[in-house]
Amino acid sequence: MTKFHRPLVLCCSVLALSACGADEIASPGSGGDIIINNPTPTPSPAPSPTGGASPVTAAASCPTISDGLTDSGVLNVPGGTVRVCTLPRRFTASTTLPYISGVAYRMNGRVDVGTDGGPTASANDTNVTLTIEPGVVVYAGTGLSYLVVNRANKINAVGTATQPVIFTSEQNVLGNATDDSSQQWGGVVLLGRAPITDCAAGGATPGTVDCERDTEGSPDPALYGGATPTDSSGKLQYVQIRYSGFVLSANSELQSLTTGGTGSGTELSHIMSFNSSDDAFEFFGGVVNAKYLVAVGAEDDVLDTDTGVQAQFQYVLSIQREGQGDSMIEADTNNSSTGHTPRQDTVVSNATFIQRSTAGSNNAAMLIRGGADYKLLNTVVHSPNRSCLRLSLADTIQQTGTDENGPPEFRSVVMQCASPAFLGTDGVTEADVQSIFNAGTNNNANFTTTLASGFINGSNESAVTPFNASTISSFFDNTSYIGAVRDSSDTWYTGWTCNSAAANLGASNKACTTSPVT
């Protein structure tokens, strides 16, 4: 996760009717208070819509919800105007944000769903569910804005294949974001009561109710952890998260989607991260199951898994921007908690990783370390400018131990890599890594990719015999192909995503830079 960030420029809202109102796991940032006093700009006339689109007209008023919305006036956007309805700082009762043409919902700083209920259920749990209807746009009015679903509360953000729920920045809503923009707001955070490791309290037993952590990047307490593997933080389905990763406190920042101690009852599918300035998805502990993940333009890692997470992922499409990004996989960290249990156990099947960067602190497209157990199945790795696989720390490749599955496993994994394809560090040699990779079945580290449109399986990929992932867990589908996208008829990724210079994900998509309220 470690990386350097360029300076930021923030802009206040242009509202027509109202003015702007673990060290080794953390990423670098800037500390201290951030105070920006920009002059109020003169609103520009709303441009005419293009491409035959109907102009958007601001709704007459904000909808009525239990905690109340603040009517923050009308915002000029490309193609018309929208009514800005500012969310409360905390939802204290179950609420629905309805889709209404001409309405955009604004976060003005941190927004909490419910109040943290602690590591165990009690009569004090607030049990708040925030429901967000298909097509709703929630945007950040300030860089310091982010959404937190606290323990014992839920989100129900469920879009459709043609009407995703979109979380984004004000700059994007105004039409001012570009294909290279990032770090414009915080992100979405789900917190739960499932077991974690790397406890904040000294002497706490990992995986118990005494083991809690604070969310990376949060300047105020946002705790997670407990002993309920089946805990639920709700649903995210058909969701876009654009331009996230703002530095919220010293030395750390959020990702597009951060989960902390969420349980197996949480439903995650069809989620897109676009231009996160840190990781696309980071999962701290808990039990995580997710399918159909798309990550485009992440400036650090794509799947970052930490603190004893038990994770299963299938159908992962990741495409970096030219000159940006570190690893596709970063599994766990090297620290004093390496031997804690539950040991991380992650399985990924049917991924396509397009690694375009030439440099990064992890030195490889995939880094597995810190004693993590890992299985990579049915995956295509295109990394012509960097090594493909790095294993670090002797604990990572050990055969036996407490809660230990042995060295990482690879089945039907093909890789186009720079030389050397394999790297070993901290007690692991290059020969060790190559031997572990070759011990699997149908693996090829000298593969030549023939991907169409940059990510769709071509003839070489189609010729690879897949591994039956359903033999690992019933969560996984038994596919007849490797990679995330079988062929040109396999279009699960289109319609609910957006396009950019880095990835054209379908003719029916709008550009990610396009204001989502038009």
Side-chain angles (χ1 to χ4, degrees), residues 25 194-198 206-207 213 283-288 305-311 332-333 337-338 340-346 370 372 403:
I25 296 178
I196 64 170
T197 62
D198 295 45
R213 288 182 59 87
F283 306 95
F284 292 94
V287 181
V288 179
T305 48
D306 299 290
T307 62
V309 67
Q310 312 292 293
D332 228 312
T333 53
S337 302
T338 295
H340 287 183
T341 58
R343 188 182 299 278
Q344 177 180 161
D345 189 354
T346 295
D403 192 21

Side-chain angles (χ1 to χ4, degrees), residues 6 179-182 274-276 296-299 319-325 354 356-357 500 502:
R6 59 188 177 277
D179 274 341
D180 293 318
S181 298
S182 66
F274 178 71
N275 279 20
S276 170
V296 175
E299 294 176 10
I319 303 170
Q320 289 180 326
R321 306 196 325 262
E322 293 290 345
Q324 294 289 343
I354 308 301
R356 288 173 170 162
S357 66
S500 66

